[in-house]
Amino acid sequence: QVQLVESGGGLVQAGGSLRLSCAAPGRTFSSYARGWFRQAPGKKREFVAAINSGGGATYYEDSVKGRFTISRDNGQNTVYLQMNNLKPEDTAVYYCAIGQGPLATMRTLGFWGQGTQVTVSS
């Protein structure tokens, strides 16, 4: 059983910052791409960002480009999402994922954690 544990969410004012973390206790996914997705109330889960196995390539959804940065620490089996200049429309539950394939069309392995809530007030 794969366990993904997201953390770092919270309530922040528009323009603020948060840093999300996703750990995979006891497992190593250094050869896989990693990604972040989000799901707002009443909406489908959507892609946010992805990073390749070595950390040298990243891909972002257009609305977060220039504001969000994905990174990973393979030694710690952890992936991060630095979110700056947050907007109310970023409000959602954020989930990390393990994936394969080109980053722009990353296919997840279907494992999801409980997510972490990000709420941005205007």
Side-chain angles (χ1 to χ4, degrees):
Q1 182 71 20
V2 174
Q3 183 182 17
L4 298 174
V5 181
E6 300 97 340
S7 62
L11 173 64
V12 64
Q13 289 187 331
S17 298
L18 286 172
R19 188 191 194 207
L20 307 184
S21 299
C22 174
R27 300 295 294 269
T28 300
F29 297 105
S30 58
S31 62
Y32 290 87
R34 301 290 297 274
W36 285 95
F37 291 72
R38 64 186 180 186
Q39 187 168 19
K43 295 187 177 181
K44 292 182 178 180
R45 189 173 298 178
E46 66 176 5
F47 170 82
V48 176
I51 188 167
N52 70 344
S53 58
T58 57
Y59 186 83
Y60 298 93
E61 190 270 329
D62 284 347
S63 70
V64 307
K65 284 181 182 177
R67 300 188 298 122
F68 291 10
T69 302
I70 188 171
S71 61
R72 65 189 296 165
D73 182 339
N74 285 337
Q76 297 294 322
N77 297 328
T78 301
V79 63
Y80 304 97
L81 186 68
Q82 177 66 44
M83 306 187 295
N84 297 328
N85 191 22
L86 282 160
K87 303 177 180 180
E89 51 264 42
D90 295 317
T91 295
V93 178
Y94 283 70
Y95 301 89
C96 68
I98 305 161
Q100 294 177 308
L103 296 183
T105 56
M106 186 182 77
R107 302 184 307 277
T108 73
L109 299 186
F111 302 114
W112 302 100
Q114 81 289 346
T116 186
Q117 176 71 48
V118 172
T119 303
V120 185
S121 62
S122 58

